[in-house]
């Protein structure tokens, strides 16, 4: 009999991954596959939920095969997912009734403007911890109910299930028997009250969402149900779920107030654990649920930056300045500075802490001497500056000073960027050995629920440093660079505002 493992399903925006972890939190094997993105109109983004399910199941089977593991060796399945993306499906047949509207989709921007004009912004912020923005699921659910023939009646009769992707996968993994979500995913819907930790009746009424369509909210670490034996080859407990960023916070062993991680992917997401009470933000961050084990709630402040690694992707695919994202490191290190160039990658407006949907990308300070390397360096510097903005906002909101920052995500592999981040923040940046922290967090949540791990202390011991980057920039230089960034952001602000 093989040592049991935990299977983490990481359902991302562009791909599905499945990873087997052992007791030390080491990756035994993984499978990954991309799925289609649909852009039916400018600014709209959709996924086919059936395709997501089939892709996710496919990679789960493949991961087990690669590890040469029978399904019986899987002690539990944990799920982590792209957040805010939402769909409706048929409770009886389990078939999607709508496309999944993706978090990036801007189709409800107008609805959000109208809700703001009607004076609902303060209540949304106070109850949900979120800003009133099309990013979150609530207005997407309202849109689907309004635009899908017959859906509202089905939802009222309890025949249609609404859910974020965690909910959808749990439903399908349990053979259509369990309709639940976890608090971290619920807290991104704009329908969930952070204080009562329940669906908010007033917000449901405001957006005309029938309560019966929504999942029950269960802890992030709990046995929700079991897979039917014919799905993967054994009945496996589905025992944990958390949104990707909260899963990463958990996977980085940030279990206590003041501990923080920053994930550098397509965008960047800073999460700071703030303890058992929600910390309201006055500096443009979101208040959100953190994943927790047991009944005691945990909260976090979040700085959501929409475009960081995606700017490097744009240099690669849009401008063809580099062949591979990793080449950015070599080019940037080849020049002593950007020659005064700043790059504000506000391609889709700016998220935290600005929340300016009308900001647009800008490159400032160009001269005849500007080279490709300067531009590439400016794009990497922008990642570090944007992260400093949210770190400082979080410190002001939480009334703490972060001693250090744990990092993960694809772009955290860039040593030049991580050194720059330490310099711009003036504090150490620490990269763990296992950078698959999102999937690892989901594995931990599931494993804790079935007793695979004994407790937080045990999994905390799995966390090991790969490399620590110490700040070494002079204060004067740091201040001058950051002041320039602030001026550049000011120029990009409001660029595409109507009228
Ligand atoms: P996501 O999970 O958001 O899809 P990943 O964590 O896989 O993202 O990170 C991919 C992003 O990071 C891409 O936008 C890519 O351009 C960027 N990236 C990956 N490696 C590097 C690198 N070495 N230097 C800079 N950016 C990188």
């Amino acid at each position: 009999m093989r040592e049991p493992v935990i299977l983490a399903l990481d359902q991302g925006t562009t791909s599905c991954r499945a990873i087997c972890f052992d007791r030390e939190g080491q990756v035994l094997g993984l499978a990954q596959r991309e799925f289609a993105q649909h852009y039916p109109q400018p600014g709209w983004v959709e996924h086919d939920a059936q395709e997501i399910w089939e892709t996710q199941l496919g990679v789960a089977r493949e991961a087990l095969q690669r590890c040469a593991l029978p399904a019986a060796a899987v002690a539990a399945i944990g799920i982590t997912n792209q957040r805010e993306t939402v769909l409706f499906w048929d409770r009886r047949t389990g078939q999607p009734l709508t496309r999944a509207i993706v978090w990036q989709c801007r189709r409800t921007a107008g609805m959000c403007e109208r809700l703001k004009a009607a004076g609902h912004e303060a209540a949304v912020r106070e109850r949900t911890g979120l800003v009133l923005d099309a990013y979150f699921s609530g207005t997407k659910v309202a849109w689907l109910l309004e635009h899908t023939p017959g859906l509202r009646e089905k939802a009222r009769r309890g025949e249609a299930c609404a859910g974020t992707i965690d909910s959808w996968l749990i439903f399908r993994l349990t053979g259509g028997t369990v309709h639940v979500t976890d608090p971290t995913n619920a807290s991104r819907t704009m329908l969930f009250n952070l204080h009562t930790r329940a669906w908010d009746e007033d917000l449901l009424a405001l957006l005309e969402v029938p309560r019966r369509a929504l999942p029950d909210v269960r802890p992030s670490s709990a046995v929700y149900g079991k897979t039917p034996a014919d799905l993967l080859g054994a009945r496996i407990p589905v025992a944990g779920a958390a949104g990707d960023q909260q899963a990463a916070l958990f996977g980085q062993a940030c279990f206590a107030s003041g501990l923080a991680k920053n994930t550098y992917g397509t965008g960047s997401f800073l999460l700071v654990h703030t303890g058992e009470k929600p910390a309201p933000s006055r500096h443009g961050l979101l208040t959100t649920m953190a994943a927790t084990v047991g009944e005691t709630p945990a909260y976090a402040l979040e700085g959501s930056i929409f475009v960081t690694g995606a700017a490097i992707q744009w240099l690669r695919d849009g401008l063809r300045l580099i062949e591979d994202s990793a080449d950015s490191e070599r080019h940037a290190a080849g020049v002593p500075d950007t020659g005064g160039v700043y790059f504000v990658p506000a391609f889709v407006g700016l998220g935290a802490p600005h929340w300016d949907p009308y900001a647009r990308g800008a490159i400032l300070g160009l001269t005849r001497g500007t080279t490709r390397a300067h531009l590439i360096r400016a794009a990497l510097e922008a990642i570090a500056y944007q992260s400093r903005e949210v770190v400082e906002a979080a410190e002001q909101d939480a009334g703490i000073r972060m001693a250090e920052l744990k990092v993960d995500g694809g772009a955290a592999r860039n040593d030049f960027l991580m050194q720059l981040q330490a310099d711009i923040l003036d504090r150490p940046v620490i990269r763990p050995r296992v950078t698959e922290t999102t999937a690892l967090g989901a594995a931990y949540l599931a494993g804790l629920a079935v007793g695979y791990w004994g407790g937080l202390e045990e999994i905390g011991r799995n966390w090991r440093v790969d490399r620590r980057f110490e700040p070494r920039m002079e204060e004067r230089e740091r201040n001058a660079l950051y002041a320039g960034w602030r001026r550049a952001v000011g120029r990009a602000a409001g660029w595409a505002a109507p009228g």
Side-chain angles (χ1 to χ4, degrees), residues 144 204 216 224 264 322-323 327 365 404 486 498:
L144 287 171
L204 294 184
D216 290 335
Y224 308 124
Y264 300 79
I322 43 178
E323 267 196 19
D327 295 343
E404 56 187 37
R486 305 284 297 189

Side-chain angles (χ1 to χ4, degrees), residues 12-15 263-267 308-314 316 324-329 380 383 408-415 417:
T13 307
T14 56
S15 73
T263 300
Y264 300 79
T266 305
T308 55
I312 307 299
Q313 234 164 9
W314 180 71
R316 186 192 66 191
D324 192 277
S325 295
D327 295 343
S328 60
E329 178 160 357
L380 288 174
I383 299 179
D408 52 45
R413 287 195 295 268
N414 185 319
D415 289 346
L417 173 62

Side-chain angles (χ1 to χ4, degrees), residues 48-54 87-98 154 158-161 167-179:
D48 174 342
Q50 186 63 24
E51 187 188 359
I52 286 184
W53 162 243
E54 285 163 14
L87 75 143
F88 278 86
W89 66 90
D90 188 293
R91 192 181 296 278
R92 193 176 50 80
T93 66
Q95 292 305 304
L97 295 167
T98 68
K154 267 182 102 95
E159 295 166 8
C161 299
S167 204
W168 165 241
L169 293 179
I170 294 170
F171 188 86
R172 295 302 300 261
L173 282 167
T174 56
T177 57
V178 178
H179 185 209

Side-chain angles (χ1 to χ4, degrees), residues 65-355:
Q65 264 167 14
R66 287 211 178 146
C67 301
L69 279 169
V74 179
I77 294 175
I79 294 167
T80 180
N81 57 290
Q82 51 167 324
R83 303 176 303 173
E84 296 102 11
T85 300
V86 71
L87 75 143
F88 278 86
W89 66 90
D90 188 293
R91 192 181 296 278
R92 193 176 50 80
T93 66
Q95 292 305 304
L97 295 167
T98 68
R99 280 275 177 83
I101 305 188
V102 179
W103 58 275
Q104 297 153 321
C105 185
R106 306 305 300 175
R107 79 181 63 183
T108 59
M111 195 188 298
C112 291
E113 292 291 338
R114 288 193 294 281
L115 289 166
K116 274 188 207 166
H120 296 295
E121 198 171 12
V124 166
R125 196 170 226 319
E126 198 278 321
R127 288 167 187 230
T128 69
L130 307 176
V131 298
L132 213 174
D133 192 270
Y135 175 26
F136 305 105
S137 326
T139 55
K140 301 182 199 288
V141 172
W143 191 95
L144 287 171
L145 284 166
E146 200 174 315
H147 292 87
T148 314
L151 183 60
R152 194 179 294 283
E153 292 66 38
K154 267 182 102 95
R156 283 205 186 110
R157 289 197 300 267
E159 295 166 8
C161 299
T164 42
I165 299 297
D166 54 309
S167 204
W168 165 241
L169 293 179
I170 294 170
F171 188 86
R172 295 302 300 261
L173 282 167
T174 56
T177 57
V178 178
H179 185 209
V180 298
T181 188
D182 93 297
T184 66
N185 277 294
S187 71
R188 317 298 296 185
T189 58
M190 222 174 84
L191 301 170
F192 184 75
N193 189 310
L194 282 184
H195 310 280
T196 60
R197 283 175 281 130
W199 301 117
D200 187 291
E201 294 298 339
D202 295 335
L203 292 173
L204 294 184
L206 178 68
L207 293 174
E208 297 179 68
V209 178
R211 167 67 187 86
R212 288 183 83 179
L214 294 177
D216 290 335
V217 183
R218 300 280 316 279
S220 304
S221 178
V223 178
Y224 308 124
K226 286 190 174 173
T227 57
D230 59 356
L231 205 59
L232 291 163
R235 284 179 57 80
I236 306 169
V238 182
D244 50 11
Q245 300 308 325
Q246 285 95 335
L249 187 70
F250 204 83
Q252 286 269 33
C254 296
F255 306 133
S257 184
L259 297 179
K261 67 87 198 172
N262 196 18
T263 300
Y264 300 79
T266 305
S268 283
F269 296 84
L270 173 80
L271 262 73
V272 186
H273 197 296
T274 58
E276 295 173 17
K277 297 228 166 58
S281 175
R282 281 170 289 111
H283 298 91
L285 302 184
L286 308 173
T287 306
T288 201
M289 301 297 304
T292 183
V293 176
E295 291 304 313
T296 313
Y299 293 86
L301 279 167
E302 173 173 320
S304 332
I305 308 168
F306 295 148
V307 175
T308 55
I312 307 299
Q313 234 164 9
W314 180 71
L315 294 181
R316 186 192 66 191
D317 305 340
L319 297 191
R320 300 188 188 282
L321 287 189
I322 43 178
E323 267 196 19
D324 192 277
S325 295
D327 295 343
S328 60
E329 178 160 357
R330 184 167 43 84
H331 289 290
V335 285
D337 53 43
T338 67
V341 174
Y342 284 90
F343 177 4
V344 185
F347 298 153
V348 292
L350 288 169
H354 307 284
W355 296 104

